[in-house]
Amino acid sequence: MDIESERPGLRERKKQETRIALSWAAIRLAVERGLDNVRVEDIAAEAGVSPRTFNNYFSSKGEAIVARHFDRARQIAEELRARPASEPLWEALANAVTARFALGQDTGGESTPDRQWVDGVRLMINDPALTGAFAAAAAAAEAELAAAVADRTGTDAALDLYPRLVAGAVGVAIRVVMERWLNAEPPIPIARLLHDALGQLSAGLPVPPKGPSHP
Amino acid sequence: MDIESERPGLRERKKQETRIALSWAAIRLAVERGLDNVRVEDIAAEAGVSPRTFNNYFSSKGEAIVARHFDRARQIAEELRARPASEPLWEALANAVTARFALGQDTGGESTPDRQWVDGVRLMINDPALTGAFAAAAAAAEAELAAAVADRTGTDAALDLYPRLVAGAVGVAIRVVMERWLNAEPPIPIARLLHDALGQLSAGLPVPPKGPSHP
DNA sequence: AGCATTTCTTGCGCGATCCGCAAAGATTCT
DNA sequence: AGAATCTTTGCGGATCGCGCAAGAAATGCT
């Protein structure tokens, strides 16, 4: 699972295109038919490449499906580094996370009717066959976030627990928020949920007062 | 992955025995040879059952290997419920976690002292093929912990972010601590690491002061 | 104890996955 | 243009995960 933005020759561009085409095809088919009724063959056909080529890009169906979410999660670290150093860590984190998750919520570029996307993600989270790939992606993204946090705070990702705890906590927040957001009826703005979750984390997760926090 | 302690007939006992035998065999072989050099066939042979039976207990090698760790992680929720309600949440959590992780650290019962063992375990858990299984197990354990936290704090695991954030944060702490503990040279007492990690979490993960926290 | 029922084990076999290898095709470099 | 480099693709092999059905073991009922 590498995404290296080298200088954009025809070659690199095509690679990214097929990568995205494959991932997108995998998601679309999984949403339509259910994950178990999609073979690698179908995904490859949908993307216009051979089945063998699919495995040159992804080592499993799960990886392909999770790829886009992963690509986005990964950018959080980038976004954090782009934040002014004067910003307090947790404020910068909240801004970085919100920037990536609060707007182009679903497609990440194209606009597809939201309903389908919501169903797809819910499927993704609930299917045991995908939790693995999903978690692997999250772990990779967290590693980068941890490095960024280490740089910003002057800690060492190899020796200190701190940066990894922060990255892990942010990952947990995103995971919990996504799940809650997908099941919320009526819908709750995701920005609100994110702000709430990160606020609780940076406050040390104190036991909340009695009243229901879900108006 | 179900562990239901039903009434202990001969049948149930044997089932648990083969389950543990299979999981243990999987771990031992994976530590010795490396995960890729262990086939399901070998594990089954080691445990004295047919390869087909292996799949009646675990749907993958990874699941078998993670099973014991999972069983233990799962008991944290139990342990938490057993703590007096007067104890503050984070104190109770620290005690519950420590109770399960600070003693029979790796083996889970027997005492296998070796250095080679730790090396093997390190290699094993760093294997990408296992991250999935680990995550799945962690998710299951966290769900139970979230329920226990919800009960204790009067929150709702379905509606409030809080209990899930707490459970997730504890899961992250355990994960980070385990990784750090395995790579620590010289060794650091795991209880110290756990206390440190949970302390930072319940303090809101403030940016630590300059000095190195690793003496 | 005797017999029916439920549960677990096992062998067989199919569909699918993942990956190494080497030939063919496409892109880039000089 | 020609060489070098990378990508795609088909083929084949090693597993793997699991459904199915027969046999064995344990349990429940009388």
Side-chain angles (χ1 to χ4, degrees):
Chain A
M1 241 198 209
D2 2 76
I3 302 153
E4 331 203 344
S5 5
E6 315 181 4
R7 87 208 104 122
L10 208 182
R11 205 165 230 155
E12 306 303 327
R13 184 161 53 245
K14 276 208 126 187
K15 257 176 78 169
Q16 292 310 318
E17 276 171 14
T18 51
R19 180 189 164 82
I20 294 194
L22 280 170
S23 177
W24 190 251
I27 294 174
R28 247 179 11 85
L29 291 177
V31 168
E32 283 175 8
R33 316 179 188 172
L35 181 63
D36 294 332
N37 302 327
V38 181
R39 12 218 126 274
V40 171
E41 192 185 344
D42 305 328
I43 302 172
E46 186 85 6
V49 296
S50 82
R52 182 64 184 83
T53 296
F54 173 89
N55 282 86
N56 288 344
Y57 283 87
F58 303 104
S59 59
S60 71
K61 267 187 295 183
E63 209 172 283
I65 290 183
V66 160
R68 308 211 61 198
H69 179 270
F70 169 60
D71 289 353
R72 214 157 33 113
R74 195 174 207 213
Q75 294 175 323
I76 293 178
E78 240 175 89
E79 189 77 30
L80 180 64
R81 290 185 193 276
R83 291 267 145 200
S86 61
E87 227 172 11
L89 176 65
W90 282 96
E91 201 178 311
L93 278 171
N95 286 331
V97 172
T98 305
R100 290 295 157 187
F101 277 85
L103 35 112
Q105 284 157 1
D106 33 30
T107 67
E110 309 85 42
S111 51
T112 312
D114 285 33
R115 185 70 189 185
Q116 241 188 350
W117 176 256
V118 173
D119 290 344
V121 176
R122 185 178 297 138
L123 223 172
M124 178 170 97
I125 291 186
N126 287 340
D127 194 318
L130 282 184
T131 45
F134 190 74
E142 278 177 25
E144 299 194 15
L145 182 56
V149 170
D151 284 353
R152 177 178 269 257
T153 60
T155 52
D156 185 333
L159 296 177
D160 297 312
L161 298 178
Y162 183 74
R164 295 205 227 169
L165 286 174
V166 171
V170 171
V172 164
I174 292 173
R175 182 156 46 86
V176 170
V177 163
M178 288 292 267
E179 201 177 329
R180 183 77 194 89
W181 179 69
L182 284 172
N183 295 338
E185 192 61 49
I188 308 176
I190 197 167
R192 176 187 174 81
L193 288 171
L194 280 172
H195 182 269
D196 186 10
L198 293 173
Q200 290 192 51
L201 277 177
S202 62
L205 289 170
V207 177
K210 273 286 182 169
S213 58
H214 29 271
Chain B
M1 241 194 211
D2 1 76
I3 301 152
E4 329 202 345
S5 9
E6 314 182 4
R7 84 210 105 115
L10 209 180
R11 203 165 228 154
E12 306 304 327
R13 185 161 54 243
K14 277 209 124 185
K15 257 176 79 170
Q16 292 309 317
E17 276 170 14
T18 51
R19 179 188 166 84
I20 295 196
L22 280 171
S23 176
W24 190 250
I27 293 173
R28 245 176 15 84
L29 291 177
V31 168
E32 283 175 9
R33 317 179 187 172
L35 182 62
D36 293 333
N37 303 326
V38 181
R39 10 219 117 281
V40 170
E41 192 185 345
D42 306 327
I43 302 172
E46 185 86 3
V49 297
S50 82
R52 182 63 183 83
T53 295
F54 173 89
N55 282 83
N56 289 345
Y57 282 87
F58 304 104
S59 60
S60 71
K61 269 186 293 185
E63 209 173 285
I65 289 181
V66 160
R68 308 211 61 198
H69 179 269
F70 169 60
D71 290 352
R72 213 154 35 110
R74 198 175 204 208
Q75 294 173 323
I76 292 178
E78 243 174 86
E79 190 77 29
L80 180 65
R81 291 184 193 274
R83 291 268 144 198
S86 62
E87 227 171 11
L89 176 66
W90 282 95
E91 203 178 310
L93 278 171
N95 286 330
V97 171
T98 305
R100 290 293 157 189
F101 276 85
L103 30 117
Q105 290 148 357
D106 36 24
T107 67
E110 307 84 45
S111 49
T112 317
D114 285 35
R115 153 111 201 161
Q116 268 187 337
W117 179 260
V118 177
D119 289 343
V121 172
R122 176 165 43 229
L123 281 179
M124 190 175 69
I125 70 171
N126 285 337
D127 193 312
L130 282 183
T131 47
F134 261 111
E142 277 177 25
E144 298 193 16
L145 183 55
V149 170
D151 284 353
R152 177 178 269 258
T153 59
T155 53
D156 186 333
L159 296 177
D160 297 312
L161 299 178
Y162 183 74
R164 295 205 226 170
L165 285 174
V166 171
V170 171
V172 165
I174 291 174
R175 181 156 49 87
V176 170
V177 162
M178 288 293 267
E179 201 177 330
R180 182 78 193 88
W181 178 70
L182 283 172
N183 293 340
E185 192 59 51
I188 306 176
I190 195 167
R192 176 188 175 79
L193 288 171
L194 280 172
H195 181 269
D196 186 9
L198 293 173
Q200 290 192 51
L201 277 178
S202 62
L205 290 170
V207 177
K210 274 285 183 167
S213 59
H214 31 270

